[in-house]
Amino acid sequence: MHSLLWFLSTLIQIYSYALIIYILMSWFPNARDTKVGQMLATICEPYLEPFRRIIPPIGMIDISPIVAFLVLEFATKGLYALFDMLNLV
C-alpha cells in the first residue's frame, strides 16, 4: 500500500507542476495558444474553473490558483493521514 500512497502523492505533485507551468504561461503573450498551452489548458482548466467561479479576481490578479494549490496540498496531507489512520504506511 506504500506504493499506492507514493503514486498518488507523485501524481498530485506532477499536477501541481503542470498548474505552475500553465499559470506562468499567462505571463507570456500567446504562450497558451501553443500546442503545449492547449494541452495544459485541457488538463488544468477543469480544475481551476470551480475556484474561479467562487473567488473573483482582485483587480487584475486572479488568486484562485493559490486556493487551488492549497486544496491540492490539503489533499496530499489528507492522503497521508488516511493511510496513517488505516495503518497502511
Side-chain angles (χ1 to χ4, degrees):
M1 280 305 201
H2 180 67
S3 60
L4 179 62
L5 177 62
W6 176 84
F7 176 74
L8 292 174
S9 62
T10 303
L11 200 61
I12 292 173
Q13 185 88 25
I14 291 169
Y15 192 74
S16 296
Y17 291 144
L19 281 173
I20 290 170
I21 293 168
Y22 182 67
I23 292 165
L24 290 177
M25 287 178 90
S26 70
W27 295 359
F28 301 100
N30 301 324
R32 288 189 177 174
D33 295 334
T34 63
K35 292 236 183 238
V36 173
Q38 292 172 357
M39 179 190 70
L40 287 174
T42 303
I43 295 169
C44 298
E45 278 300 325
Y47 178 67
L48 291 173
E49 187 61 33
F51 295 105
R52 288 189 178 134
R53 275 189 263 134
I54 296 169
I55 305 164
I58 299 173
M60 295 288 294
I61 299 172
D62 183 15
I63 61 167
S64 60
I66 296 170
V67 178
F69 281 116
L70 287 174
V71 168
L72 283 177
E73 185 64 28
F74 287 141
T76 304
K77 302 266 188 230
L79 277 174
Y80 278 98
L82 179 66
F83 275 70
D84 188 42
M85 185 174 65
L86 297 173
N87 294 320
L88 298 175
V89 176

